[in-house]
Amino acid sequence: MKKLNNFILSICFISLVGCGGGSSNHSIETSNNIPNDNSNQNNIENDKEQEDTKEYKFSDFFEVIGNEYTYSVLRLKFNPNIISNVRLTFKEKPNDSSPWFSYDSWKSEYNQYRISFDKAGDYVVTINFYDVKTQKYLTKDISINIKDSNLISTSMLKEDLVLDDTSKPYALQSGISIPYNVKLTVNPGVTINGNNKGINVEGILELNGTKEKPVYLSDSGISPVGNRSSNATIKINHAVLIGTNPYASIGGRIAGTLDLLDSKLYDFDSEIYLWFPAGPINIKRNYFHKAGGIHWESSNYLINIQNNKFEDWTTQSAIYANTAVNISGNTFIKPQRNDRYAIYFRGFYMPTGSELMVTNNYWGTLDEDAIKSMIMDRNSTVESSGYVIYKPYLTIPDSETPQ
C-alpha cells in the first residue's frame, strides 16, 4: 500500500490514455457520451450550468454507509461513466489527525482507491474530477463527520473475549495475540477494521457470522503463531474478508486447523499456507477473488477443498498440492496471465507416477486443451511427482458452489 504523507493522491483510471499504475477492463470513451446534433447542444449547456451549482455529498463519491468511523476504509465508487481523473486534498481535519489516501493497482476495481481517518471529528475533502456528462473539470468540497470506533488496544488476550457490538465497528490499534487455552469469538454482524494489524492465533479464533449477518474483517491477517507444542484452531463461517489472509504464514508459525466455510475473500496476494495441519482442514463454499491460493507441505489428515469459486487468484496456483486431497465441486475462472494454474501438483512427499484425483470440477470452459493449460503436473515439469486426473469434469458449475 502506498500512503501519501502529504495527503494528496492523484487517481487516474487506467483506461484513460496516459494514466498508469494498473490495468482495467473498463474504458472511458468521453466522445461517445457527447451528442453530435445541434438540437442537443443547448441541453448540454444547460446541464453544465446546473452542474456548477450542484451540491455534492461524500456518498456521491465514496461507499460511506456504515463506514463513518475511525480506521474504516472508504472505497471510491467505481463508475467511469460519471467521473474520472480524480484528485483529492484535505481542506479541513481535526488537530493531530493523519488521514490517508491510497491507490493499489493490483486490487479489484472497487477496492483500488481508498481513504481512511484516524481521528473522530469533521473533515472537508476537496475533490477535483472530470465530469463525463458535462465534459468539465470540477472542484467540489465534500464533508464527512467521523465517529470513534470500538478501539482494541490489547495486544495479548488474558482471557476469553467476545466481540458482539454491531452498532459500530471495532478497530485494531495493535496486533492481537490469542494464547493457548484462550478464545476470541466474533459474533454475527460484527465489523472489524484491521488497520493493517494482524491476529496471531495460538488458541482459538471463531468468526461466527450467518448468511444474513456475516462478520466483516478488513485489512488484517490471521496467522497460526505461538509455541510449537500448541495447535491453533481457526474457524470462519459466513465472513467477508477484505485484504485479509485467513491462514497466513509468518515467523513463529505453528500447526493448526482451519474451517473456512461460506465466506467471501478478496484482495490479498499471499498464500493460504496450511503447512503441516494438526487435524482435518475444511474449505467449502467460499468465493475467492483476487486472493492468494491454498498451499500445504504434507498432511496426515484429510484436506477438503469443495464447492469453492476461485477467480483471478494472485499466486501461481489456486491450489498447490503436495499430498492427496479432496478437490471437487469447485469452479476455476483462470486469470488473464498465462503463468497461473488452477492446480499445481508438486507431490513432493509422493512417489513418482502418483495420481491426484481432481474430478467433478468446473473449469470455466469445455475446451480440454484450455483445461490442461490450467494444470501443472508431470506432463509439464519433472519437478512434479505425478499426474492430475481431471476427467470427468463438470460442464456447468455445481449448484452448491457460489455463482
Side-chain angles (χ1 to χ4, degrees), residues 176-287:
I176 294 179
S177 293
I178 307 170
Y180 179 70
N181 275 341
V182 173
K183 180 179 179 180
L184 172 60
T185 303
V186 183
N187 280 354
V190 167
T191 295
I192 302 174
N193 295 315
N195 193 28
N196 295 318
K197 310 298 183 183
I199 302 175
N200 295 335
V201 184
E202 185 184 64
I204 302 171
L205 171 66
E206 291 188 1
L207 307 186
N208 294 328
T210 65
K211 183 177 181 180
E212 294 75 20
K213 295 181 178 181
V215 168
Y216 287 84
L217 174 58
S218 63
D219 304 300
S220 185
I222 300 170
S223 302
V225 173
N227 188 302
R228 289 187 180 271
S229 64
S230 303
N231 295 321
T233 300
I234 298 171
K235 296 183 178 182
I236 301 173
N237 292 279
H238 287 289
V240 178
L241 305 184
I242 301 173
T244 300
N245 189 326
Y247 206 91
S249 176
I250 62 175
R253 68 165 298 115
I254 59 174
T257 59
L258 173 65
D259 286 315
L260 177 61
L261 310 174
D262 301 297
S263 296
K264 298 177 181 179
L265 301 93
Y266 304 96
D267 298 309
F268 59 89
D269 59 357
S270 58
E271 290 182 316
I272 299 172
Y273 187 52
L274 304 175
W275 197 43
F276 295 89
I281 300 290
N282 294 294
I283 301 175
K284 299 180 179 181
R285 301 180 301 278
N286 304 290
Y287 174 53

Side-chain angles (χ1 to χ4, degrees), residues 296 305 310 319-321 323-332 342-345 355-363 371 374-377 387-394:
W296 65 95
I305 305 175
F310 298 90
I319 300 174
Y320 187 108
T323 58
V325 58
N326 180 8
I327 302 174
S328 62
N330 301 285
T331 292
F332 300 100
I343 306 293
Y344 191 127
F345 181 34
E355 293 183 343
L356 180 67
M357 305 302 295
V358 187
T359 56
N360 297 313
N361 293 282
Y362 178 64
W363 302 82
I371 294 175
M374 298 171 67
I375 295 171
M376 178 68 78
D377 62 3
Y387 303 92
V388 171
I389 307 302
Y390 67 90
K391 294 192 288 188
Y393 52 85
L394 300 179

Side-chain angles (χ1 to χ4, degrees), residues 308-322:
N308 304 283
K309 183 176 182 179
F310 298 90
E311 188 170 10
D312 253 358
W313 49 90
T314 58
T315 50
Q316 184 183 33
S317 57
I319 300 174
Y320 187 108
N322 270 315

Side-chain angles (χ1 to χ4, degrees), residues 365-381:
T365 180
L366 303 184
D367 183 335
E368 292 196 8
D369 287 335
I371 294 175
K372 291 176 183 177
S373 73
M374 298 171 67
I375 295 171
M376 178 68 78
D377 62 3
R378 198 164 177 81
N379 288 308
S380 309
T381 175

Side-chain angles (χ1 to χ4, degrees), residues 151-163:
L151 300 181
I152 301 177
S153 58
T154 301
S155 58
M156 175 74 80
L157 298 186
K158 303 297 184 181
E159 58 186 3
D160 291 353
L161 176 64
V162 176
L163 303 183

Side-chain angles (χ1 to χ4, degrees), residues 4 20 43 78 102 124 145 171 174 199-200 232 245 272 294 302 330 348 376 397:
L4 307 186
N43 291 334
F78 185 74
S102 72
V124 178
N145 176 263
S174 63
I199 302 175
N200 295 335
N245 189 326
I272 299 172
I294 303 166
L302 183 62
N330 301 285
F348 185 81
M376 178 68 78

